[in-house]
Amino acid sequence: MTKLRVLSYNVHSLKDDRRSLAAVVRGVAPDVAILQEAPRRFRWRQKSADLARDFELVVGGGGLPALGNLILTNLRVRAVESWNVQYPLTPGRHMRGAAFVRCRVGRSTFVAVGSHLSTDATERPSQAELLKQHMDEVPEPLLFGGDLNENSGGAAWRMIADGLTDAAGADERHTFPCAGPRERLDAVFADPRMTVLQYDVVDTPEARAASDHFPVVVDLEFD
């Protein structure tokens, strides 16, 4: 059996305390970090590489082509293929997308997916539907980490979660905003071929200084 630690984290476009952000991620020591609001504009490749170095990780995929969704791995995990999805642009809204990275650890292969859905309730379901279509095409065990911009029970949330395991289980701890948590916008969903060993929301003074979202950490086990 293969064990894997996954971090999903909206890093708030790196607007907050960068030192605290690095400390939080290094403290978690994830095998896979799925980031939202990562570098996506000028010099995004270098900025992504710098961020990965701060986290003691390497870039697996995403970035500008995934519109700010970035997937990092440690050296235990090898990224063997990556691809991206971009959602149709609604006039007046931000363009958004998703990152996919096929990874190998030991003899096991899995696909990590990250996305940050729209803040607009009328736009989110169509984005979730398109994302789910691409996720359903993946034959390997799949894990998804993202900021859904809605709480569990929402239409987009239900669509993405269909057929997957919400790693939180009955743990409905809020992930946003750090200054006064009142919503669970951030989630990790795991393929049913994966077993969730542990789920956590990192709420520490450093995490409150690092971003406006708390990071979600999940330990998984699979063949």
Side-chain angles (χ1 to χ4, degrees), residues 149-170:
N149 264 317
E150 68 180 28
N151 289 282
S152 58
W157 184 294
R158 295 196 310 272
M159 199 176 306
I160 293 175
D162 184 41
L164 301 174
T165 301
D166 184 344

Side-chain angles (χ1 to χ4, degrees), residues 7 9 17-30 51 53-56 202 204-207 209-210 215:
L7 167 77
Y9 201 176
D17 189 317
R18 185 73 172 262
R19 184 174 296 180
S20 293
L21 178 65
V24 169
V25 176
R26 289 198 305 265
V28 170
L51 187 64
R53 185 186 63 245
D54 289 348
F55 293 170
E56 299 178 350
V202 181
T204 63
E206 282 183 326

Side-chain angles (χ1 to χ4, degrees), residues 130-198:
L130 179 59
L131 173 60
K132 190 65 172 178
Q133 290 172 5
H134 286 273
M135 290 167 62
D136 287 345
E137 294 172 358
V138 173
E140 297 95 340
L142 177 146
L143 60 93
F144 169 86
D147 175 356
L148 302 186
N149 264 317
E150 68 180 28
N151 289 282
S152 58
W157 184 294
R158 295 196 310 272
M159 199 176 306
I160 293 175
D162 184 41
L164 301 174
T165 301
D166 184 344
D171 189 339
E172 288 281 344
R173 273 181 291 171
H174 297 154
T175 64
F176 176 85
C178 290
R182 58 183 179 273
E183 298 185 276
R184 183 164 84 97
L185 306 184
D186 306 272
V188 171
F189 299 119
D191 191 287
R193 289 169 286 184
M194 295 175 161
T195 300
V196 177
L197 302 177
Q198 183 173 306

Side-chain angles (χ1 to χ4, degrees), residues 32 104 108 131 201:
V32 178
R104 187 167 294 137
S108 302
L131 173 60
V201 175

Side-chain angles (χ1 to χ4, degrees), residues 81-153:
E81 184 182 6
S82 65
W83 65 101
N84 306 289
V85 173
Q86 295 185 355
Y87 307 138
L89 176 62
T90 301
R93 307 296 306 175
H94 292 297
M95 193 168 185
R96 297 178 184 268
F100 287 68
V101 178
R102 181 169 282 114
C103 302
R104 187 167 294 137
V105 53
R107 297 180 179 179
S108 302
T109 302
F110 64 95
V111 173
V113 183
S115 189
H116 184 190
L117 299 187
S118 175
T119 57
D120 182 64
T122 61
E123 191 178 26
R124 276 196 304 273
S126 61
Q127 292 177 349
E129 183 178 14
L130 179 59
L131 173 60
K132 190 65 172 178
Q133 290 172 5
H134 286 273
M135 290 167 62
D136 287 345
E137 294 172 358
V138 173
E140 297 95 340
L142 177 146
L143 60 93
F144 169 86
D147 175 356
L148 302 186
N149 264 317
E150 68 180 28
N151 289 282
S152 58

Side-chain angles (χ1 to χ4, degrees), residues 9-22 36-41 47 51 54-55 94 96 116 119 176 206-213:
Y9 201 176
N10 183 322
V11 296
H12 199 206
S13 300
L14 308 180
K15 295 176 181 177
D16 303 297
D17 189 317
R18 185 73 172 262
R19 184 174 296 180
S20 293
L21 178 65
Q36 304 87 45
E37 294 195 26
R40 58 172 287 183
R41 293 185 175 87
K47 291 177 180 178
L51 187 64
D54 289 348
F55 293 170
H94 292 297
R96 297 178 184 268
H116 184 190
T119 57
F176 176 85
E206 282 183 326
R208 288 175 179 261
S211 177
D212 60 343
H213 287 249

